[in-house]
Amino acid sequence: MFHAFQKGNCTFGDRCKYSHEVNGRSSTRETNGSTPALIGTSTAADYDAFVRWRYDIPRTPADIKKAKPLHHRFARFIQTALDLVEAGAETMQEVIACLASPAGVPRLSELLDANMSQMDHGSLLEFWKERLLPYLQLLAHENVLTSGIIEVQHATLLTYTYSINGKRAQAVFQSAVRCLTMDDEIPASIEPTLVVLAAMFEAVPTAQVNDALRGTAETLIALATDRKLSGFPHTQHTRLCLRLGLGGLIQQADPKKRNAKTAVKPTFVVTVHQPGDLSTLGQRHDNDSEDIDDIQILPTMDEISSDRSEYLPQDDPASWHKLGVDGLLDRHFRLLREDTVGQLRDAAKFELQRLQNPHTRQSKPRNGARTHSYHNVRLAMVEFDSHKGLLCVLAFEQPHEVRNKSMKQRQDWWNECKRLENETLLGLLGSDGLVIFVTVVAAVAQRSGGKDQPEAQRPLEERYTKWCEQEAHVIVQLVNQDESNIESMLIGFGQHSGSQSGESSEHRFSLIEFPGIILPAFQPTLQGLQRMSRSGFLPFSNLLAPGADTSGHENEPPAYARRIGFRYDLSVLSENDQSIELDPHEPISAAELCQQTRLDHGQAQALITSLTCGLALIQGPPRTGKSYTGVALTKVLLANREAAKLGPIVIVTFTNHALDQNLEHLLTAGVKQIIRIGSRSKSELLGPINLRIVAQGYEATKPEKREKWQALKDMRRLTTVVTTSLRHLWHSRSMQGVEAYLKSHYFKQYQQLCEDLVDDEGFTKVTYRPKGVHEWLNGHARGPQLPDDLSTWTQAKRHEGFATWLSASSSESERDVMVNLQAYDIARAAYNRNNGEIDLRALNDAHVIGVTTSGLARNLHVLSRLKAKVLIVEEAGEVLEAHLLTAMLPSIEHAILIGDHQQLRPKVANYDFSCENRGSNIKLDISLFERLIQPQQAGATPLPYAKLDVQRRMHPSISRLIRTTLYPELKDDASVEKYPQVCGMRRRLFWLQHSAPEEGQQVHTGAPDLFAPPATNGPQATTVAAADSTSHTNQYEVDMVFTLVRHLIWQGVYRPSDIAVLTPYLGQLRRLRRSLSSFTEIVLNGRDVDELNKDGEHDDDQIKATEEVQLRMPVLKSTLLKAIRLGTVDNFQGEEAKVVIISLVRSNDLRRCGFLRTPNRINVLLSRAQHGMYVIGNPETASGVNMWQDVIQMLQKDGNMGPSFELSCARHPDTVLTATTPDEFTIVAPEAGCNLMILACGHQCPSICGAPCPPATYCQHCATDEVKGMRADFYEMTEYGDVDLATTPCIFTPCGHVYTVDSLDGVMGMAQHYSLEPLTGMSTELASNSQPFSGLEMKNCPDCRGSLRSMARYGRIIRRALLDESTKRFMVWSARTFHELSAVLQDVQAKLLETRAASTLGDGNVLLMSNGNGRFQRLKSIGSTRRYRDLAELRRQGHEFWRKAKTDDQPFARVYDMVETVRRQRKLNQDFVNTCSFDDTVLQTRWELLASALVIRCDMIAMIDLITVWDNDHKTKLQVNFSADRRDCEQLVARANATKNIAQETEAHVFWATFAALECQVFEANGAPADTVQRLRDAADVHIGAATDLCDTFPGQTSRIKGEVDDAKRMLHEAGYKSQLKMVVAAMGSEFRGTGHWYICVNGHPFVIGECGMAMELARCPDCNEQVGGTDHVAVAGVQHADQLERDMARLRV
């Protein structure tokens, strides 16, 4: 962008060559309301206005004293300030900063100190409208309220307005009340008043207890209660009511509903110990409080040591200590914290007890997190980074796995084991009670200077690695960088770990790692709940947390839609561009909306419900179009964005994968201005719209630049200061530091410990005292203890004294470090706030913002300041309520939750908090979506919701399983009924029942496993406290899955990516992956990879090492299109596959179904398949679950359950093949065929299914040794008798030889004619890129060269070779014919030139108005035109050549026509007919074009000669019309251009121009109108220009035509010019001569390479200009050697 333009002084205007755009948009601010100006793009005119406005604010203290009141000009002053605030971010920031400055505040006194109470009504109303209201509008402006850069200045203005004891505020708001009662412009005037009042209560704590101001506030609130307020003022009104305890004024419920009597139920009160001081036993520990604001996120030492159970709110409202919004936030904070932090606390307690009691065996806590422990930890180094802050290097002994390994082996182990990765949470524990939580820090962003760089200057991560010789190192950062934690790390831990003072420590320290637990996954959410609790505000609180006085609220339309006259415009969904409107209070019907859009009835109803309810719920069963409906909703809302002032729409999902899919759908639908927050997107399409990328296009305003520069300057300066302070602290805590302290403060003691005593004569006194503090500490007392004689002190006294000196020595350094760190934190906060301001501008400019739930929590500090009114949550049924509550931004007026509570619930780590634990009173995994639809508390009213009801995934036989059990209203779309039958299987839905027992044993691993909740079903089941282990496996099912997958892929119909294998257990997942990866590629869901990494401790020792490498990438060998998808049930929701194979695993006598005992997971499992689904499991084990019982009954009734899979063979469809075991698959269906072909000897046919069986003499069992010794495999040289026919069938030639299928397929070149499945070698479809003349000759038997034409398997290859042969013969004939005709044309032209001078046309009129043969018949009647008879005969022969060279008569086209005719005669399916096609590049179009050019050239030679003869004597009147000739030229141009024949295209342009020049010559001689001649000449110039361009661009291909172009141009424009051109027809035939080798270019054009005949240099095809030739005897890609054509051409002797 041009910087002069940015400054507003570019003088070039529209002529400027630099960009005048800001972030890709025009700099001109649109003021018509259609497109708002970018926030922050103040124009030069805006800044000029600001400079003029600023003139009225004094600049110096002297000016302030001299400043005079503005009087009547003040109204314009404050109105201009308001206009500048609305202009853009830069002027807004400058205006607020000026008003809040020491000079600006006094200027406001003219307004705020006015005697408003003494004004009469008229004067006050004028004062209000012109001065006071604009001031309030300025303070309440949304740009001001959401800007963090001026937050302090805004608070200054509020504080000044409040004044001492609220005197000014009372006068302002009392005057506002007076004016509002007189003014009819409510709510326009009351809204800014309410917003400023609410902001003042937050900025000035004493305002809330000011009785006078409270009274005025209550009056204002009462005035606004019955008004239709817009979004943010409505929110602030609610918050004021809550803050002042005026809940009754929010909105009263229907008295009938509120006072409705409820049935009295018997109760029994169980004593619950409340939190904090509310407990009858007192506080549990120092982190136990009744107020969640006082609770630290991570556990304290006192909390870890406590033996009392935490307070956990139950489902019973009677036990809650808080109700309403406060209670809702309190409960979810405590439960979410216990679910995440609780397991850390328990694991830390276990490790702490081990440290403190090393000889006592400790039992692991049941709910403790899985951990890795590292021992003998010490503080190795402390450094300070200018961007990352305080960094600590912890050293610890290497884990036992790598202690005796080399450095390279240690490095490989650390890299592969996924330990201590970036952001991993660690706990530093000490036997002295030390507890510090830290996170691993990634490499510091600086480059190494190489090996020669001094050690101290090398990056920290290079100096301290995890694979060092004796100790491993990890760089960490404190989670809470407060003074207490910093002191504990640097002083407590640093001293006791023996790293500084050199004093040996009795304390032991350990580092515990919590794998997979990332602090940002839960800390931001918990902090967000605390923040909401402090504010006391939650959107839709009347629906989300109804209290005693707010129950029974109706779900009204969004606040923005309640405005009078507002109607939604739905025209964006219209199919016929008709206008569609929706009144939010009286909406149209779903049936009417369906008729005008592409929505089905359920989707239309969901859209209507969503637009007419402030909090809308949409349930979408599997594949019913949840995403499609979400896109339609988004498009409608964006179409109404300006009318409703919606701001950006925030779209939230649970996973990054779902977020990427949703945003890609929006982009595909044409939605613009999308921003994605978060760096974990895997979509390349979304890369450019990531917030980090978009924000880089925004330029900071001047105030922002100043603050950022100052912040960076302070950060760099403080980095040096803090580094120096740390060095001083480090030294002061050392022995040398203590000795220096003693020397300066206690010199006598220093002399005793450190100095030799010298007498007056210079002699040194020899003493027995130890020298140095360290020796003294370890020494023994000498004699009775004397206070002044340190050598007499006891060990205890010495250590006590040393501790005192150490503390005193470092106290000043400690203070310096803390002070400087605090200053750095302030500077960094300013820097981050500055960046956040730019992010906020970018986000406010967006139309759609996409973010995950965790990403939203991490960015709440920015997102909470957005002007967003609409929130759309996808996957709402999978999101914990705590995450959704934090997503309810303060500005939200409309929330749409889309999900399905009957599919997967949110995940919780603590099984005691799960719905599956029937003995628990806590159900944390109930999502907000489910709670609103199915309330858990008695008497609660469910919220109405819309339900999608047409599924488009499953075949009806599969969807019936979930329709009958869960979704009775679910309907099937017509498309799913057309799915084909699963190839190779007789049934598309089948349960293979078995009783093979599971191998897994129940293992109690401490933490309950999310993948295997306990089974308590069935008569013999027992209730267990912990979940089943993930180690459950079933080898029988692994083997059956393997053989079934192989069988399906061998059908040649399904790609591996069409097949998915699902299982509930990680142990089974691991075995399946190991088994299937030996046959095919495997792709694992990223979440499954994470779970396998977390579950690594359960790996078998013999396989763990190999699998660690495999887990690095989810795709083990290949791409997604070649890989089978393998996953667990929980991580496959939202996915689908054509064929799904399910391994249930569990098979036991106790009927413990385990993980799949809940309808939610069964639902997901049974709804993933499209065409077919196959379940392998023990139905007796599963039948203890009600839903499984229903499914089993349906399958049994339809015959879809049995002990054997029923297979099918395409060639024997009526024969049933069954397989019960993996071996039977190989027997009955070898190579995906069947075993129905039997030889005369009774043994199975050794050939493949469908091929003719050989004689019994070829039976592998009965054959002679001679037959068995025949070579069957060319690659491995295997004899026939050694071939395993079960896996490698053979094929038998008519000549009596035998080969393996793979071997003969390779010889025949199957891969060149069919697309082969890389895993199995099976053909899946015809290849579309096969070219003729590929050099492949007719294939015969490899041994005897016998014919293979009768073998059906190779029929297409042989027929293709025959067609290639025919095409080669056609080319040879065409070349010979064209060469002969070209030679004749050369002779005929020469004779015409020789006889032209003596020729005449005679007397009379010559009328030539036709072309072709008709013209030549007319020429024969002219006196001396017998000269044209040879040319006429040549033209006839050329036309015959053209007819035979047409593509329709070429071999490929003729065969295609015959096939089409037979198909139509047999009345085959029309769709099938349409699919019959071939690659038209095999047709040789050039010969047809050359023939056409030859015929046209014959006509042109005749006309040039005729007109030249006529022009010489003019005795005859000549009339011509060459329009038909020009049309022939145009057709030649089009055909040559389409087939990239450049020479013929150029010729056709020249022909057109030549005919036009000849016609112009005759017209002018006959006196035709000048404009007619000129139009024809202009048209000819166009063709001349096109020909010239082609000659310039492709000189090699057009060299022989260049002279014709020049000749035609002169004929057009040079009067009297006679064409002297001798037709270069000789060159036409010479193209096909040569002594080199013939090739075919990528477009099918033949060309020759001379001399040695091999490619030695790059060139261009003479016809289409594609690259040909090559280097070093290697042709370029696409060029093929046509050796047979070469031999045939050689026989022409041309």
Side-chain angles (χ1 to χ4, degrees), residues 1246-1297:
S1247 188
I1248 59 174
C1249 180
C1253 290
T1257 55
Y1258 287 91
C1259 173
Q1260 200 177 46
H1261 299 280
C1262 308
T1264 64
D1265 292 340
E1266 181 182 358
V1267 173
K1268 292 182 179 179
M1270 297 176 69
R1271 182 189 60 179
D1273 193 309
F1274 293 109
Y1275 306 111
E1276 299 181 1
M1277 304 306 291
T1278 307
E1279 294 181 350
Y1280 173 54
D1282 297 330
V1283 174
D1284 182 4
L1285 295 176
T1287 58
T1288 311
C1290 291
I1291 194 165
F1292 301 84
T1293 64
C1295 54
H1297 293 95

Side-chain angles (χ1 to χ4, degrees), residues 1596 1639 1647-1662 1666-1677 1679:
Y1639 292 83
F1647 66 94
V1648 67
I1649 297 179
E1651 297 181 2
C1652 74
M1654 300 301 290
M1656 293 299 295
E1657 63 180 8
L1658 295 176
R1660 297 286 172 179
C1661 172
E1666 287 290 345
Q1667 196 173 55
V1668 297
T1671 58
D1672 299 327
H1673 301 280
V1674 178
V1676 297
V1679 172

Side-chain angles (χ1 to χ4, degrees), residues 622 900-905 915-916 918 930 961-962 965-967 1017 1129 1133 1153-1167 1185-1188 1190-1191:
D900 186 6
H901 60 286
Q902 292 179 284
Q903 294 190 61
L904 293 182
R905 286 192 171 106
C915 295
E916 298 172 23
R918 298 182 179 179
E930 181 175 359
L961 301 180
I962 62 171
T965 53
L966 296 174
Y967 306 107
N1017 308 86
V1129 180
Q1133 178 161 318
C1153 190
F1155 174 76
L1156 293 174
R1157 62 187 290 262
T1158 60
N1160 301 71
R1161 291 192 176 98
I1162 300 173
N1163 180 16
V1164 174
L1165 188 70
L1166 299 180
S1167 60
V1185 178
N1186 292 335
M1187 184 171 176
W1188 277 128
D1190 295 337
V1191 170

